[in-house]
Amino acid sequence: MLPTPKHRLMAAHVTDPALQPIERKVEEGIPLSLEDGLTLFETRDLHSLGRMARAQKERKSGKNVYYILNRYVNSTNVCYAGCKFCSFAVDEFKETDRVVRMAADQVMSKALETGTNFNQIHIVGGHDPRQLSLDYWLPLMRRFKEQVPHVQLSLFTAAELDYMAKRHRMKYPELIATLKSAGLDNVNGGGAEIFAPKTRAKICPNKVGTANWLEIHEELHRQGVASNATMLYGHIESLEDRVDHLIRLRESQRRSPGYNAFIPLAFHPDGNELNDCGWTTGLDDLRIFAVSRLMLDNFDHIKAYWMIQGLKICQVALHFGADDMDGTHGSTDEEMIYHSAGTQSGQYVDDREFRRLIEEAGYVPVRRNSTYDEFPHDWTPPPATREEVYA
Ligand code: V47
């Protein structure tokens, strides 16, 4: 069959011929296969890969790039999951001087320390037998909804929800309904690590398994709670593990839609058992954004989180398929997961800086909340009253 003019045009763009049929599939809305994903990871033609991912990003979100005014809290670092990649977890009996375990009042005052003009509080902790319970969380969540009803609660990961369900001997639907009734808006994407069972068993044998991670997110979506998804890359995983992970997420989104963003998490090696794996490279980081944008055709957003790949890579990632930079942390927030594993990113970036970086990349900055409702950049919250809370 003679090539159509459209296909001749594409051939002129693509220099690695192996990318040509993949580009055609993306344009026709056909989901990519495992083999396609491997070809994307292996191509040396990074420019064509980036161009394809950017075109797909623009089909999804046009010129918009999202950011959020956010507060970030790690409420506890006590954790006994024993994941090999983790530098954050502390044994409360052996490393007493490193323990951070915030009382509910501390979380509340930390979140509100620099005012109430933020749209999300993002909290992640560990498998902490003292803190990870409904007795601690339900009253705290209700206090947030009472005092700052405009703030969305982006709490926990599926690993923490699995731990809490076991602890309270609750099934996932019951636990999720209980948390939703106290104001849970969104669940963070962590705990996904790598789904391929053999690799998962080597890096996080004691954490929620793949099937349950997916089941928790699918149940959240059935109950109207949004969520994100992540993948930890750059350790012992194979390229096949990465593509398998993305396909499992795509299938999960098809079964039970509700994931908003996918966030690739670059492995940080300082102070953990996988230290020999070293750091990811800039090229590997850019490639991950592009491949995930192309594989995850049913995800609206690919997030380049400045704290993880660094502000500069994240800005370039906007030309490799990413359409979200996550957002600010409060000026006194202390992120611990990445800072204990060697990140050079600071703790704080303000929203003017996000707008500058996004505009300089040729895109339009859009302020959002956890569920991607859009706000003018200078939006401020209405004064909260008890009447409004209980209306
Ligand atoms: O599951 C732990 C990762 C995750 C290391 O939903 C590490 O918007 C790299 O949930 N090197 C938790 N990664 C973080 C998380 C998250 C992060 C960013 C955005 C969102 C979101 C959620 O942190 C863990 C694990 O995969 N992690 N240690 C490390 N050394």
Side-chain angles (χ1 to χ4, degrees):
M1 194 178 76
L2 285 171
T4 64
K6 187 172 146 211
H7 294 156
R8 273 205 299 274
L9 195 69
M10 281 191 314
H13 278 301
V14 174
T15 47
D16 175 356
L19 296 181
Q20 198 174 331
I22 300 179
E23 180 163 40
R24 203 171 307 149
K25 278 169 95 172
V26 174
E27 288 185 347
E28 288 170 7
I30 300 168
L32 302 183
S33 65
L34 182 74
E35 291 68 34
D36 295 332
L38 290 173
T39 303
L40 295 174
F41 271 121
E42 281 161 357
T43 183
R44 297 176 72 87
D45 187 359
L46 198 74
H47 291 288
S48 299
L49 180 66
R51 187 185 49 71
M52 284 162 59
R54 189 167 67 242
Q56 180 71 341
K57 174 249 170 284
E58 292 188 6
R59 276 190 283 273
K60 289 272 181 194
S61 48
K63 291 287 177 189
N64 287 355
V65 169
Y66 297 89
Y67 70 96
I68 187 164
L69 268 68
N70 179 49
R71 296 304 313 262
Y72 183 99
V73 177
N74 292 130
S75 54
T76 177
N77 60 359
V78 175
C79 185
Y80 297 102
C83 301
K84 307 282 185 253
F85 52 78
C86 184
S87 317
F88 159 74
V90 162
D91 180 323
E92 66 194 298
F93 303 108
K94 294 191 186 141
E95 300 162 279
T96 42
D97 54 329
R98 278 192 59 214
V99 172
V100 174
R101 186 188 256 151
M102 295 184 191
D105 281 348
Q106 263 176 294
V107 174
M108 199 74 214
S109 54
K110 185 127 204 86
L112 302 179
E113 224 159 31
T114 47
T116 58
N117 190 7
F118 59 102
N119 295 94
Q120 166 184 275
I121 175 131
H122 176 152
I123 307 183
V124 196
H127 294 191
D128 178 348
R130 265 178 47 197
Q131 190 185 89
L132 199 42
S133 85
L134 292 174
D135 307 330
Y136 175 93
W137 282 104
L138 295 178
L140 179 55
M141 292 165 72
R142 293 195 185 105
R143 277 173 74 188
F144 268 109
K145 287 293 172 183
E146 228 175 273
Q147 291 192 28
V148 278
H150 63 281
V151 170
Q152 288 186 313
L153 303 182
S154 186
L155 308 182
F156 317 119
T157 65
E160 291 163 270
L161 295 182
D162 178 64
Y163 181 94
M164 242 194 291
K166 286 192 184 115
R167 178 192 185 135
H168 292 286
R169 296 198 169 79
M170 287 167 103
K171 300 254 187 256
Y172 298 145
E174 190 193 351
L175 174 72
I176 289 167
T178 308
L179 292 168
K180 188 184 175 192
S181 71
L184 182 65
D185 294 293
N186 186 63
V187 167
N188 302 307
E193 322 311 357
I194 276 286
F195 291 141
K198 282 191 187 148
T199 308
R200 191 174 187 82
K202 287 184 191 148
I203 63 169
C204 52
N206 309 317
K207 194 172 233 173
V208 61
T210 296
N212 286 354
W213 190 99
L214 293 167
E215 177 49 30
I216 289 170
H217 282 259
E218 290 174 27
E219 180 59 28
L220 287 163
H221 303 166
R222 281 192 286 273
Q223 295 199 28
V225 180
S227 78
N228 292 329
T230 61
M231 172 171 73
L232 181 67
Y233 68 94
H235 45 92
I236 61 165
E237 87 286 1
S238 64
L239 294 184
E240 195 156 353
D241 289 345
R242 293 182 184 181
V243 184
D244 166 78
H245 191 96
L246 296 172
I247 291 176
R248 286 182 202 247
L249 284 176
R250 191 174 70 194
E251 286 168 357
S252 175
Q253 177 82 309
R254 198 150 290 141
R255 281 192 298 272
S256 180
Y259 296 100
N260 278 319
F262 172 74
I263 309 109
L265 304 178
F267 171 64
H268 284 48
D270 284 3
N272 61 58
E273 289 183 51
L274 299 183
N275 179 266
D276 282 354
C277 298
W279 293 88
T280 62
T281 66
L283 289 183
D284 202 16
D285 293 339
L286 291 177
R287 196 182 280 274
I288 280 274
F289 289 112
V291 178
S292 46
R293 179 58 290 164
L294 293 167
M295 292 297 300
L296 294 175
D297 61 336
N298 56 5
F299 275 60
D300 286 344
H301 305 287
I302 304 292
K303 191 192 286 186
Y305 200 156
W306 58 275
M307 202 182 51
I308 296 169
Q309 284 90 0
L311 264 185
K312 291 185 179 186
I313 287 285
C314 288
Q315 187 191 30
V316 179
L318 303 181
H319 284 266
F320 282 78
D323 72 338
D324 190 321
M325 298 192 82
D326 203 80
T328 61
H329 288 191
S331 56
T332 64
D333 293 2
E334 281 159 37
E335 189 282 334
M336 290 190 284
I337 301 176
Y338 287 89
H339 286 84
S340 56
T343 184
Q344 297 299 307
S345 303
Q347 290 280 8
Y348 175 69
V349 181
D350 80 12
D351 56 320
R352 279 171 308 182
E353 182 67 354
F354 285 113
R355 290 197 291 276
R356 183 175 80 95
L357 293 168
I358 293 166
E359 278 168 2
E360 208 176 80
Y363 288 112
V364 178
V366 180
R367 177 174 170 182
R368 64 162 176 90
N369 61 8
S370 319
T371 49
Y372 287 80
D373 301 313
E374 299 181 7
F375 295 78
H377 75 88
D378 54 358
W379 182 88
T380 52
T385 64
R386 287 187 72 78
E387 284 71 28
E388 276 175 321
V389 174
Y390 292 112

